[in-house]
Amino acid sequence: MNIFYRVDNRLVHGQIIATWLPHLRPKTFVIVNDSAASNNLQLSMFRMAIPTDVELKACTIEEAVPLLNDLKGRQQSVMVLLETVEDATRLFVSGHAFSMLNIGNVHHT
């Protein structure tokens, strides 16, 4: 598995670190969300939760398309975290198609 896509409105949280990280062994986490990409406090908290040997990238949906298209061809494992199904849809129609999407916690609104 090269890139794993997950929608979870919590983004980085305990289940991601305790369950998905050991299962997928990603070398890179990519948070794709327009507001999280510029929220330095939130990104600092995410960085503290993710092991230091795992790279963390955060970008807007527009910035994510070329980044993820480049990462698609590499052999390293990558986990993409999206806050909403709408973010996933926007990423897909903006030019980064993916064949599978894991739906995690999606707030009822």
Side-chain angles (χ1 to χ4, degrees):
M1 179 183 308
N2 189 24
I3 301 180
F4 182 80
Y5 302 86
R6 178 176 170 88
V7 173
D8 193 317
N9 67 291
R10 301 165 292 178
L11 297 172
V12 177
H13 57 90
Q15 181 184 9
I16 297 295
I17 301 304
T19 304
W20 287 107
L21 181 71
H23 177 68
L24 297 173
R25 296 186 190 140
K27 297 295 181 195
T28 305
F29 274 101
V30 181
I31 296 171
V32 180
N33 178 264
D34 291 345
S35 61
S38 61
N39 186 330
N40 290 328
L41 177 61
Q42 187 177 32
L43 293 175
S44 293
M45 292 187 316
F46 293 160
R47 180 71 266 169
M48 286 188 278
I50 296 171
T52 56
D53 63 332
V54 177
E55 185 177 12
L56 172 64
K57 296 179 181 284
C59 48
T60 65
I61 292 166
E62 182 179 323
E63 295 165 342
V65 172
L67 171 70
L68 293 173
N69 285 342
D70 181 54
L71 290 173
K72 213 176 208 179
R74 298 186 185 177
Q75 293 302 315
Q76 69 174 333
S77 180
V78 177
M79 183 167 194
V80 175
L81 298 169
L82 301 128
E83 187 174 22
T84 66
V85 173
E86 291 78 14
D87 285 349
T89 302
R90 286 182 52 216
L91 178 64
F92 191 94
V93 300
S94 293
H96 182 73
F98 45 88
S99 60
M100 295 183 71
L101 179 64
N102 179 272
I103 305 294
N105 194 50
V106 179
H107 196 272
H108 66 277
T109 59

